[in-house]
PDB file of all heavy atoms in Angstrom:
ATOM      1  N   GLY A 571      88.796  24.912  14.773  1.00 88.00           N
ATOM      2  CA  GLY A 571      88.312  26.159  15.346  1.00 88.00           C
ATOM      3  C   GLY A 571      89.070  26.538  16.598  1.00 88.00           C
ATOM      4  O   GLY A 571      90.086  25.936  16.954  1.00 88.00           O
ATOM      5  N   THR A 572      88.582  27.544  17.291  1.00 88.00           N
ATOM      6  CA  THR A 572      89.192  27.973  18.543  1.00 88.00           C
ATOM      7  C   THR A 572      88.502  27.285  19.712  1.00 88.00           C
ATOM      8  O   THR A 572      87.392  26.773  19.588  1.00 88.00           O
ATOM      9  CB  THR A 572      89.079  29.493  18.700  1.00 88.00           C
ATOM     10  OG1 THR A 572      87.694  29.876  18.625  1.00 88.00           O
ATOM     11  CG2 THR A 572      89.832  30.210  17.594  1.00 88.00           C
ATOM     12  N   ALA A 573      89.178  27.274  20.858  1.00 88.00           N
ATOM     13  CA  ALA A 573      88.665  26.578  22.032  1.00 88.00           C
ATOM     14  C   ALA A 573      87.477  27.333  22.631  1.00 88.00           C
ATOM     15  O   ALA A 573      87.426  28.569  22.618  1.00 88.00           O
ATOM     16  CB  ALA A 573      89.769  26.427  23.069  1.00 88.00           C
ATOM     17  N   VAL A 574      86.520  26.564  23.150  1.00 91.00           N
ATOM     18  CA  VAL A 574      85.354  27.129  23.830  1.00 91.00           C
ATOM     19  C   VAL A 574      85.197  26.421  25.173  1.00 91.00           C
ATOM     20  O   VAL A 574      85.774  25.351  25.405  1.00 91.00           O
ATOM     21  CB  VAL A 574      84.064  26.965  22.997  1.00 91.00           C
ATOM     22  CG1 VAL A 574      84.169  27.717  21.682  1.00 91.00           C
ATOM     23  CG2 VAL A 574      83.767  25.490  22.749  1.00 91.00           C
ATOM     24  N   ALA A 575      84.404  27.003  26.042  1.00 90.00           N
ATOM     25  CA  ALA A 575      84.211  26.464  27.388  1.00 90.00           C
ATOM     26  C   ALA A 575      82.826  25.847  27.511  1.00 90.00           C
ATOM     27  O   ALA A 575      81.819  26.540  27.322  1.00 90.00           O
ATOM     28  CB  ALA A 575      84.405  27.556  28.441  1.00 90.00           C
ATOM     29  N   GLY A 576      82.750  24.544  27.807  1.00 91.00           N
ATOM     30  CA  GLY A 576      81.477  23.886  28.088  1.00 91.00           C
ATOM     31  C   GLY A 576      80.795  23.342  26.849  1.00 91.00           C
ATOM     32  O   GLY A 576      80.943  23.875  25.741  1.00 91.00           O
ATOM     33  N   LEU A 577      80.012  22.270  27.059  1.00 92.00           N
ATOM     34  CA  LEU A 577      79.267  21.672  25.949  1.00 92.00           C
ATOM     35  C   LEU A 577      78.282  22.634  25.291  1.00 92.00           C
ATOM     36  O   LEU A 577      78.078  22.554  24.070  1.00 92.00           O
ATOM     37  CB  LEU A 577      78.522  20.423  26.443  1.00 92.00           C
ATOM     38  CG  LEU A 577      79.351  19.147  26.633  1.00 92.00           C
ATOM     39  CD1 LEU A 577      78.457  18.021  27.120  1.00 92.00           C
ATOM     40  CD2 LEU A 577      80.054  18.757  25.348  1.00 92.00           C
ATOM     41  N   PRO A 578      77.622  23.549  26.041  1.00 92.00           N
ATOM     42  CA  PRO A 578      76.674  24.451  25.369  1.00 92.00           C
ATOM     43  C   PRO A 578      77.311  25.308  24.280  1.00 92.00           C
ATOM     44  O   PRO A 578      76.615  25.792  23.382  1.00 92.00           O
ATOM     45  CB  PRO A 578      76.135  25.312  26.516  1.00 92.00           C
ATOM     46  CG  PRO A 578      76.297  24.465  27.738  1.00 92.00           C
ATOM     47  CD  PRO A 578      77.571  23.708  27.507  1.00 92.00           C
ATOM     48  N   ALA A 579      78.637  25.504  24.338  1.00 93.00           N
ATOM     49  CA  ALA A 579      79.307  26.367  23.359  1.00 93.00           C
ATOM     50  C   ALA A 579      79.853  25.581  22.175  1.00 93.00           C
ATOM     51  O   ALA A 579      80.501  26.165  21.297  1.00 93.00           O
ATOM     52  CB  ALA A 579      80.444  27.133  24.033  1.00 93.00           C
ATOM     53  N   VAL A 580      79.588  24.278  22.114  1.00 93.00           N
ATOM     54  CA  VAL A 580      80.117  23.458  21.020  1.00 93.00           C
ATOM     55  C   VAL A 580      79.544  23.901  19.675  1.00 93.00           C
ATOM     56  O   VAL A 580      80.207  23.802  18.639  1.00 93.00           O
ATOM     57  CB  VAL A 580      79.832  21.971  21.291  1.00 93.00           C
ATOM     58  CG1 VAL A 580      80.037  21.119  20.039  1.00 93.00           C
ATOM     59  CG2 VAL A 580      80.743  21.464  22.402  1.00 93.00           C
ATOM     60  N   GLY A 581      78.305  24.391  19.663  1.00 93.00           N
ATOM     61  CA  GLY A 581      77.726  24.896  18.416  1.00 93.00           C
ATOM     62  C   GLY A 581      78.538  26.048  17.849  1.00 93.00           C
ATOM     63  O   GLY A 581      78.767  26.112  16.623  1.00 93.00           O
ATOM     64  N   ASP A 582      78.991  26.966  18.717  1.00 92.00           N
ATOM     65  CA  ASP A 582      79.853  28.058  18.257  1.00 92.00           C
ATOM     66  C   ASP A 582      81.182  27.517  17.746  1.00 92.00           C
ATOM     67  O   ASP A 582      81.710  27.992  16.730  1.00 92.00           O
ATOM     68  CB  ASP A 582      80.095  29.038  19.402  1.00 92.00           C
ATOM     69  CG  ASP A 582      78.817  29.726  19.850  1.00 92.00           C
ATOM     70  OD1 ASP A 582      77.908  29.892  19.014  1.00 92.00           O
ATOM     71  OD2 ASP A 582      78.725  30.077  21.044  1.00 92.00           O
ATOM     72  N   ALA A 583      81.720  26.510  18.446  1.00 92.00           N
ATOM     73  CA  ALA A 583      82.993  25.919  18.024  1.00 92.00           C
ATOM     74  C   ALA A 583      82.865  25.252  16.663  1.00 92.00           C
ATOM     75  O   ALA A 583      83.792  25.284  15.846  1.00 92.00           O
ATOM     76  CB  ALA A 583      83.467  24.907  19.066  1.00 92.00           C
TER      77      ALA A 583
END
Side-chain angles (χ1 to χ4, degrees):
T572 57
V574 298
L577 282 180
V580 165
D582 296 331

